[in-house]
Amino acid sequence: MTVVDYKTVIENKQASNFQKIPVEWRLEKIPSPEEQKEVAPFIEPLLSDKELWITNVSAIELLENLKAGKISALEVTQAFCHRSALVHQLTDCLIEIFYDQALERAKELDSYFAKTAKLVGPLHGIPISLKDQFNLKGITTSIGFTAPHISKELENIVGQKETDQESYLVQILHDAGAVFYVKTTVPMAMFGNETSSNLSTTTHPFDRRKTPGGSSGGEAALLSGKGSVIGLGTDIGGSIRGPCVQCGLYGMRGSSNRYPYLGISNSYPHQTCVPSVTGPMCRYLEDLELVSKVIIDAEPWLVDAKVPPIPWKESVELDTVNVGIMVWDKQIKPHPPILRALKETETNLKKAGIDTLEVEPPVSHLEICDFLTDLYTCDDFAEVKKYAALSGEPLSDLIQRTFKLNGHIATLEDTFNASAQKYNYQQIYDKFWNSTAKLTKNGKPLDCIIMPGWASTSWKSGENMKIANVYTRFLNVLDYSVLTIPITTVNESDDPFERTDFSGEADKVCWEYYNKDFYLGMPVVLQLVCRRYEEEKCIALAKKLLPIIRNT
Amino acid sequence: MTVVDYKTVIENKQASNFQKIPVEWRLEKIPSPEEQKEVAPFIEPLLSDKELWITNVSAIELLENLKAGKISALEVTQAFCHRSALVHQLTDCLIEIFYDQALERAKELDSYFAKTAKLVGPLHGIPISLKDQFNLKGITTSIGFTAPHISKELENIVGQKETDQESYLVQILHDAGAVFYVKTTVPMAMFGNETSSNLSTTTHPFDRRKTPGGSSGGEAALLSGKGSVIGLGTDIGGSIRGPCVQCGLYGMRGSSNRYPYLGISNSYPHQTCVPSVTGPMCRYLEDLELVSKVIIDAEPWLVDAKVPPIPWKESVELDTVNVGIMVWDKQIKPHPPILRALKETETNLKKAGIDTLEVEPPVSHLEICDFLTDLYTCDDFAEVKKYAALSGEPLSDLIQRTFKLNGHIATLEDTFNASAQKYNYQQIYDKFWNSTAKLTKNGKPLDCIIMPGWASTSWKSGENMKIANVYTRFLNVLDYSVLTIPITTVNESDDPFERTDFSGEADKVCWEYYNKDFYLGMPVVLQLVCRRYEEEKCIALAKKLLPIIRNT
């Protein structure tokens, strides 16, 4: 193997990406985050009215217009390529750019439509962005490591794959008519709740001083910057939900393998106790429903052995609804705007005659978080270190500050104990959930629990350790279906207030991090939690409840 | 801890069981297997006409009569208690006897019916026998070890449980009206395809020189001796299907956790790569359907986190059906009667206009069997040795002759590799299954594959090593739904024949074991294999195809 300098590899990769942006879309000068906090006002003047319209509406609306022949797949694709290039130059959210292929594909779709007057499938001409774990023929997958940019051989080692085969989900979406055009950044090995690696540091399009979260932060930055309409992320501890919470998006963490993971590269792909899941991230709830239905209607269980054969339910009965509200977990209190969102949620639901019930965790979420961290680091990060060593790069700063290793490699007995412990946590929570039937008016258990998605709505890049991450991870262990639901934005009423009930240092540090001026205008997003494999119910509840909660 | 002699513990347990049989049901002299091969002719003269009728018909027919008030739950329970006591005395199939409780329960059900003219549930008054892994309050669970018969403390260690809680499935069946009266024998730690431990050696009620198979051989012996109408077994490599094949029964190995396992004691309960599953064993297909529906209709996924939320399908569309026939796996050729059953199956289906397709394994089943054996012995049987040591008993002869240990304890990497390998086998088989669409007349993939259930129909007790066990185990790794289907019995036409195509020594030894006279009259049972979580389809196909196959 040739000895290479990993820094040179990274510089070459960045230069090569820049070359893939057409000259006319390149920005002459990139303002600093302090000079230009927000992306939209800077890039929108560079887009045509049609491009602005295309990148602003839902995929559903684009499809209606495509079907009516009012716009072409090429126009749609071009608009998203253009806007994604601009968002990327300000947020560093793309790791793979392949606009040429995308435009070719769009032309083929237009040609099919011209000949048949039919759409090729339910996602005809819709650009879909993919987190850099998805495999597409001829496109590198690097999952946050530098080595895959050196050679195909190293890419296959890091991606734990033998061939240039595509992710199965890519095939499903392609067959439905989707257009792929970019892959988005991830932190090294997808570990961390920011999106920085030695290759890139992605920033938040609403405030470039801040992080879009992680690990699907490249997706979230691109989507909230409107450089994409539908994206696909992955989540083993909040990697879809965190970025969606920080960026104001709808994101679904489905129960294990509801959405097929076959052929998606991953760290520790065979750690099956609490597996990573894939799921859609969108600006429109209807788009999230559409893409979910397309995926599940493909009957993925016939191809991916891990997918349970549960067809997509066309309708969910929601005559009377019981909504649980978990204001906080008694460990890390969320910031004032999140507390307000929860209060408004409860008040508005009650006003509309919907039965709500305040609930508290039946088991320590911090304890479950610690359990999950042990699973993440079960090999003392030997695999992560091995893949970093392939290029000579150090472990990312994010990994170094986030994970404390203890030198222990799990034994067979540890893996048995972990399986037992996960099942135990699930039993405790399921029993609690069933027991809510005794407390509701209609004698049925809660239909969902609405709770904070994170203790904070984003933070300054690099400061993730100040915001304890407790609201998403326990749900991976329980394997519940979870949808992030944007509720409001931080406003002038969200003043900080004094507290004396700190649960400990992490709670205090997080609480004191809040600064109204720093947060004004940022999105406030909650989690809507249903039970296992209730993705349809999450969506149906959000459709029913959000207009009430938002008072719209 | 008191020092005890494990042999004394076993003698005491046997004596205590004998005491639980009412004096009037005790046999004066137990003939030897050579003196009295078959159970039925010996015990049927001891039963009343009503007892004979009750123990002969289906649970469905019993329920009709219970509903019409023509028989009482007490009569039904008494008949099964009586017959089970007789079958046990000739086959050693029971490890726990609690007739008193059962009769009390039956009286309560009768009293409920007398008051309300209603059945308490869909299994009102139906006695159900349970393999000795199921936990019932106040009844010992020993999973083939002696230690649990010494003290409750040791029972809890062996059963890996903390309390006297019942298995969740026991609660579901109880709530549906079932009556529990016995628990049936298992081999030590449920390892082995006979049912012998230091506590007992269970024999076959059709020929007491033979084994009923294992590990659910106590259930199979009791059921085929008509001492039970519905039983519950478990299967991690053929433990439901083997005994059903050897004893002529319907048995369902559902896909993982389709039937809830919560609270069932087990060896290696947290080895989750290829988990043990529970499922029903019956003499009547309709009864197997009934009990399956009762279990799944209880929505067990709300209580047992491992159960996927897949409701029981009331109907399965079977307009045109494609049936695969796998005559043998090219490794171990089944005995002549089984080859005849497969031939008749194919011929009769074809004659009825059903599309059949002969298929061969896309991957070596022996290789998958070896993979599974590595999982069984992943801790070098440290757990089995530990539980045996609690009473000082040696490992059972069955374990000693069946398993060769190599001193290796699986590492974390081994567990990752096992997960990957399992998924790989599943992908290979699923691709193969999908590819059959190219070979069928209607262009759809096979609906099921009918194949041997075992290379032989039973064998002399203790000679399991002469009959290679390859037809059930690979299906646990693939996690397909499998139903055993009784087809015919060995008859005078089933002559042995010369072969020159032996795949190896195991094939030759198994083939040469066949002796027509030794097998005459024994049941010939095949496996009907569907894809994952297609238990309803297995049943629907069996209902449709069996009358055609059997020409009845």
Side-chain angles (χ1 to χ4, degrees):
Chain A
M1 193 165 43
T2 326
V3 176
V4 289
D5 173 11
Y6 81 90
K7 288 183 183 167
T8 309
V9 175
I10 292 171
E11 277 164 27
N12 291 345
K13 173 65 189 164
Q14 284 162 346
S16 138
N17 270 358
F18 188 68
Q19 289 305 319
K20 285 179 182 151
I21 297 173
V23 177
E24 62 275 20
W25 295 350
R26 292 183 196 163
L27 296 175
E28 272 180 39
K29 183 186 169 290
I30 311 288
S32 75
E34 285 69 28
E35 286 169 339
Q36 182 64 42
K37 284 198 314 192
E38 206 178 343
V39 167
F42 191 81
I43 65 169
E44 290 191 345
L46 306 173
L47 296 162
S48 71
D49 284 352
K50 194 155 201 177
E51 285 175 323
L52 281 172
W53 177 81
I54 287 171
T55 56
N56 200 42
V57 299
S58 68
I60 297 270
E61 193 167 344
L62 291 173
L63 282 160
E64 281 163 10
N65 281 276
L66 283 158
K67 198 173 178 181
K70 290 185 186 164
I71 49 170
S72 68
L74 187 62
E75 284 174 302
V76 172
T77 301
Q78 250 165 343
F80 278 105
C81 287
H82 188 188
R83 188 155 188 160
S84 70
L86 298 174
V87 175
H88 169 63
Q89 289 174 81
L90 289 168
T91 65
D92 205 0
C93 62
L94 304 182
I95 187 72
E96 300 297 331
I97 294 170
F98 37 101
Y99 298 146
D100 289 353
Q101 274 179 236
L103 297 170
E104 276 311 303
R105 162 79 169 155
K107 283 179 201 165
E108 284 165 22
L109 292 169
D110 285 334
S111 153
Y112 178 91
F113 182 74
K115 274 184 215 148
T116 64
K118 281 181 191 163
L119 302 186
V120 79
L123 295 172
H124 179 109
I126 300 301
I128 291 188
S129 51
L130 301 168
K131 185 177 182 178
D132 188 31
Q133 294 177 252
F134 284 82
N135 289 301
L136 288 150
K137 271 180 202 140
I139 309 289
T140 305
T141 300
S142 55
I143 65 170
F145 288 96
T146 302
H149 299 296
I150 299 172
S151 72
K152 187 75 196 164
E153 184 199 345
L154 295 183
E155 183 199 333
N156 284 351
I157 293 172
V158 172
Q160 305 203 33
K161 54 186 189 157
E162 282 168 27
T163 67
D164 196 21
Q165 215 173 348
E166 293 194 319
S167 303
Y168 171 47
L169 207 39
V170 165
Q171 295 168 36
I172 293 176
L173 297 171
H174 174 91
D175 291 349
V179 176
F180 303 113
Y181 62 120
V182 290
K183 291 211 295 179
T184 55
T185 49
V186 300
M188 178 179 271
M190 283 73 69
F191 279 117
N193 47 44
E194 298 195 2
T195 299
S196 66
S197 67
N198 296 318
L199 289 154
S200 59
T201 294
T202 306
T203 59
H204 197 305
F206 296 173
D207 182 348
R208 292 166 64 230
R209 299 169 301 175
K210 298 195 176 86
T211 174
S215 67
S216 311
E219 275 305 317
L222 183 66
L223 281 158
S224 58
K226 302 188 184 175
S228 174
V229 64
I230 295 175
L232 281 161
T234 66
D235 190 319
I236 195 178
S239 280
I240 285 175
R241 289 161 292 151
C244 285
V245 165
Q246 277 102 49
C247 295
L249 299 166
Y250 297 94
M252 180 73 87
R253 189 218 93 88
S255 291
S256 294
N257 296 293
R258 183 79 200 268
Y259 302 97
Y261 214 100
L262 178 64
I264 298 173
S265 288
N266 194 14
S267 300
Y268 304 94
H270 307 299
Q271 183 283 92
T272 51
C273 183
V274 178
S276 169
V277 303
T278 179
M281 300 164 65
C282 301
R283 279 179 282 122
Y284 292 91
L285 182 56
E286 294 74 10
D287 292 349
L288 189 142
E289 184 177 32
L290 168 70
V291 71
S292 296
K293 189 173 141 48
V294 166
I295 294 166
I296 310 297
D297 281 354
E299 302 191 324
W301 48 86
L302 296 178
V303 172
D304 183 347
K306 290 186 180 174
V307 177
I310 304 175
W312 191 255
K313 282 173 204 67
E314 292 295 333
S315 69
V316 180
E317 203 258 294
L318 290 178
D319 285 347
T320 61
V321 172
N322 297 315
V323 178
I325 308 276
M326 189 178 286
V327 175
W328 73 302
D329 60 6
K330 308 287 163 192
Q331 290 172 327
I332 307 292
K333 196 159 207 161
H335 286 176
I338 298 162
L339 294 174
R340 173 174 60 83
L342 285 156
K343 193 79 216 155
E344 286 175 6
T345 297
E346 192 171 359
T347 307
N348 292 343
L349 289 176
K350 270 192 203 302
K351 224 184 279 174
I354 289 174
D355 199 11
T356 65
L357 183 70
E358 281 202 21
V359 294
E360 290 182 11
V363 53
S364 160
H365 291 178
L366 271 182
E367 182 189 321
I368 308 184
C369 285
D370 288 344
F371 164 78
L372 188 55
T373 303
D374 283 348
L375 277 183
Y376 294 160
T377 59
C378 59
D379 76 338
D380 202 47
F381 272 164
E383 180 185 298
V384 179
K385 290 173 195 164
K386 185 172 94 182
Y387 295 161
L390 292 174
S391 71
E393 69 183 325
L395 293 194
S396 68
D397 289 346
L398 178 61
I399 284 185
Q400 291 192 47
R401 71 174 176 265
T402 306
F403 294 95
K404 301 291 164 240
L405 300 176
N406 61 11
H408 178 70
I409 294 174
T411 63
L412 180 68
E413 200 182 348
D414 290 332
T415 68
F416 286 170
N417 289 341
S419 290
Q421 189 56 278
K422 174 195 168 188
Y423 197 29
N424 183 40
Y425 288 135
Q426 291 181 316
Q427 295 307 126
I428 292 171
Y429 236 101
D430 286 359
K431 266 187 203 168
F432 156 71
W433 198 306
N434 291 334
S435 75
T436 60
K438 284 182 235 141
L439 303 168
T440 59
K441 285 185 194 139
N442 69 1
K444 291 183 185 171
L446 294 174
D447 290 287
C448 66
I449 300 175
I450 294 177
M451 63 177 77
W454 213 269
S456 169
T457 168
S458 194
W459 53 88
K460 193 162 177 300
S461 278
E463 297 190 341
N464 66 309
M465 296 310 287
K466 295 190 179 168
I467 311 293
N469 166 10
V470 286
Y471 285 100
T472 56
R473 284 191 287 166
F474 77 100
L475 292 163
N476 294 71
V477 176
L478 302 177
D479 205 21
Y480 288 153
S481 307
V482 191
L483 177 68
T484 60
I485 46 172
I487 302 291
T488 179
T489 52
V490 181
N491 68 28
E492 286 292 353
S493 79
D494 293 321
D495 289 314
F497 58 90
E498 289 288 323
R499 280 178 62 205
T500 52
D501 62 346
F502 293 119
S503 75
E505 190 58 20
D507 185 18
K508 190 161 182 284
V509 168
C510 178
W511 185 255
E512 290 174 352
Y513 192 83
Y514 181 68
N515 169 335
K516 187 174 79 179
D517 292 339
F518 185 65
Y519 278 114
L520 274 176
M522 294 302 281
V524 181
V525 180
L526 302 176
Q527 291 185 106
L528 187 156
V529 180
C530 287
R531 300 181 72 161
R532 278 178 290 280
Y533 299 101
E534 292 192 334
E535 289 70 32
E536 301 92 326
K537 191 170 182 180
C538 284
I539 295 171
L541 281 165
K543 279 182 163 178
K544 182 185 172 98
L545 302 180
L546 279 174
I548 299 170
I549 294 172
R550 293 172 182 157
N551 218 344
T552 52
Chain B
M1 191 165 47
T2 325
V3 175
V4 289
D5 173 9
Y6 80 90
K7 288 183 182 167
T8 308
V9 175
I10 293 171
E11 277 164 26
N12 290 346
K13 173 66 188 165
Q14 285 163 343
S16 137
N17 270 358
F18 189 66
Q19 289 304 319
K20 283 177 184 153
I21 297 173
V23 177
E24 63 276 21
W25 295 350
R26 292 182 197 163
L27 297 174
E28 273 181 37
K29 185 185 167 290
I30 312 289
S32 74
E34 286 68 28
E35 285 168 340
Q36 182 63 44
K37 286 198 314 193
E38 205 178 343
V39 167
F42 192 81
I43 65 168
E44 291 192 344
L46 306 173
L47 296 162
S48 71
D49 284 352
K50 194 156 202 178
E51 285 174 324
L52 281 172
W53 176 81
I54 286 171
T55 57
N56 199 44
V57 299
S58 68
I60 297 271
E61 193 167 343
L62 291 173
L63 282 159
E64 281 163 12
N65 281 275
L66 283 158
K67 197 172 180 182
K70 290 186 187 164
I71 50 170
S72 68
L74 187 62
E75 284 174 303
V76 172
T77 302
Q78 249 165 344
F80 279 104
C81 289
H82 188 187
R83 189 155 185 158
S84 70
L86 298 174
V87 174
H88 169 63
Q89 289 175 81
L90 289 168
T91 65
D92 205 0
C93 63
L94 304 182
I95 186 73
E96 299 297 331
I97 294 170
F98 36 102
Y99 298 147
D100 290 353
Q101 273 179 237
L103 297 169
E104 275 311 304
R105 161 79 169 154
K107 283 179 201 164
E108 284 164 24
L109 292 168
D110 285 335
S111 153
Y112 177 89
F113 182 74
K115 272 184 218 147
T116 64
K118 281 181 189 164
L119 301 186
V120 79
L123 295 172
H124 179 109
I126 301 301
I128 291 188
S129 51
L130 301 167
K131 186 176 182 179
D132 188 31
Q133 294 177 250
F134 285 82
N135 289 301
L136 288 150
K137 270 179 203 143
I139 309 290
T140 305
T141 300
S142 56
I143 65 168
F145 288 95
T146 302
H149 299 296
I150 299 172
S151 72
K152 187 76 196 167
E153 184 201 346
L154 296 182
E155 184 199 332
N156 284 350
I157 292 172
V158 172
Q160 305 203 31
K161 54 187 189 157
E162 283 168 26
T163 64
D164 196 21
Q165 215 173 348
E166 293 194 319
S167 303
Y168 171 47
L169 205 40
V170 164
Q171 294 168 36
I172 293 177
L173 297 171
H174 174 91
D175 291 349
V179 176
F180 303 114
Y181 61 120
V182 290
K183 291 211 296 180
T184 56
T185 49
V186 300
M188 178 180 270
M190 284 73 70
F191 279 119
N193 48 44
E194 298 195 4
T195 299
S196 66
S197 67
N198 296 317
L199 289 154
S200 59
T201 294
T202 306
T203 59
H204 197 304
F206 296 173
D207 182 348
R208 292 165 64 226
R209 299 168 303 175
K210 298 195 176 87
T211 174
S215 68
S216 310
E219 275 306 317
L222 183 65
L223 281 157
S224 58
K226 303 188 183 174
S228 175
V229 65
I230 295 174
L232 281 161
T234 66
D235 190 318
I236 195 178
S239 281
I240 285 174
R241 290 162 292 152
C244 285
V245 165
Q246 278 103 48
C247 295
L249 299 166
Y250 297 95
M252 180 74 87
R253 190 217 94 87
S255 291
S256 294
N257 296 294
R258 183 81 201 265
Y259 303 96
Y261 214 101
L262 178 63
I264 298 174
S265 288
N266 194 14
S267 299
Y268 304 96
H270 307 298
Q271 184 281 93
T272 51
C273 183
V274 177
S276 170
V277 303
T278 179
M281 302 164 66
C282 300
R283 277 179 282 124
Y284 291 91
L285 182 55
E286 294 73 13
D287 292 348
L288 189 143
E289 184 177 31
L290 167 71
V291 71
S292 296
K293 189 174 141 46
V294 166
I295 293 167
I296 310 298
D297 281 353
E299 303 190 325
W301 48 86
L302 296 177
V303 172
D304 183 347
K306 291 187 180 174
V307 176
I310 304 175
W312 191 255
K313 285 173 200 68
E314 292 295 334
S315 69
V316 180
E317 203 258 293
L318 291 179
D319 284 348
T320 62
V321 172
N322 297 314
V323 178
I325 309 277
M326 189 177 285
V327 175
W328 71 303
D329 60 7
K330 309 288 163 191
Q331 290 172 327
I332 306 292
K333 196 159 206 159
H335 286 175
I338 298 162
L339 294 174
R340 173 175 60 85
L342 286 156
K343 193 79 217 158
E344 287 175 5
T345 297
E346 192 170 358
T347 307
N348 292 343
L349 289 176
K350 271 193 202 303
K351 224 184 278 175
I354 288 174
D355 199 11
T356 65
L357 183 70
E358 281 202 22
V359 295
E360 290 181 12
V363 54
S364 160
H365 291 179
L366 271 181
E367 183 190 319
I368 308 183
C369 285
D370 288 344
F371 163 78
L372 188 55
T373 303
D374 283 348
L375 277 183
Y376 294 161
T377 58
C378 59
D379 76 337
D380 202 47
F381 273 163
E383 180 185 298
V384 178
K385 290 173 195 162
K386 185 172 94 182
Y387 296 161
L390 292 174
S391 71
E393 67 183 326
L395 293 194
S396 69
D397 289 345
L398 177 62
I399 284 185
Q400 291 193 46
R401 70 174 177 264
T402 305
F403 294 95
K404 300 292 164 239
L405 300 175
N406 62 12
H408 178 70
I409 294 173
T411 63
L412 180 66
E413 200 182 349
D414 291 332
T415 68
F416 286 170
N417 289 341
S419 290
Q421 188 56 278
K422 175 195 168 186
Y423 197 29
N424 183 40
Y425 289 134
Q426 291 181 317
Q427 296 307 127
I428 293 171
Y429 236 100
D430 286 359
K431 267 188 200 166
F432 157 72
W433 198 304
N434 292 334
S435 76
T436 60
K438 285 183 235 141
L439 303 169
T440 59
K441 285 184 193 141
N442 68 1
K444 291 183 185 169
L446 294 174
D447 290 286
C448 66
I449 300 176
I450 294 178
M451 63 177 77
W454 213 269
S456 168
T457 166
S458 193
W459 54 87
K460 194 163 175 300
S461 278
E463 297 190 340
N464 65 309
M465 296 311 286
K466 295 190 179 167
I467 311 293
N469 165 8
V470 285
Y471 285 100
T472 56
R473 284 189 287 166
F474 77 101
L475 293 163
N476 294 72
V477 175
L478 302 177
D479 204 20
Y480 288 153
S481 307
V482 190
L483 177 68
T484 59
I485 47 171
I487 302 292
T488 179
T489 52
V490 181
N491 68 30
E492 286 290 352
S493 79
D494 293 320
D495 290 313
F497 58 89
E498 289 289 322
R499 281 178 61 205
T500 52
D501 61 346
F502 294 118
S503 75
E505 189 59 20
D507 185 20
K508 191 161 182 283
V509 168
C510 178
W511 185 255
E512 290 174 353
Y513 192 83
Y514 181 67
N515 170 334
K516 188 174 78 179
D517 292 340
F518 184 66
Y519 278 114
L520 274 176
M522 292 302 282
V524 181
V525 180
L526 300 175
Q527 291 185 104
L528 188 156
V529 181
C530 287
R531 300 181 72 160
R532 278 178 289 280
Y533 299 102
E534 293 192 334
E535 289 71 30
E536 301 92 326
K537 191 170 183 180
C538 283
I539 295 172
L541 281 165
K543 278 182 164 179
K544 181 185 172 99
L545 302 180
L546 279 175
I548 299 170
I549 294 172
R550 292 172 182 157
N551 218 344
T552 52

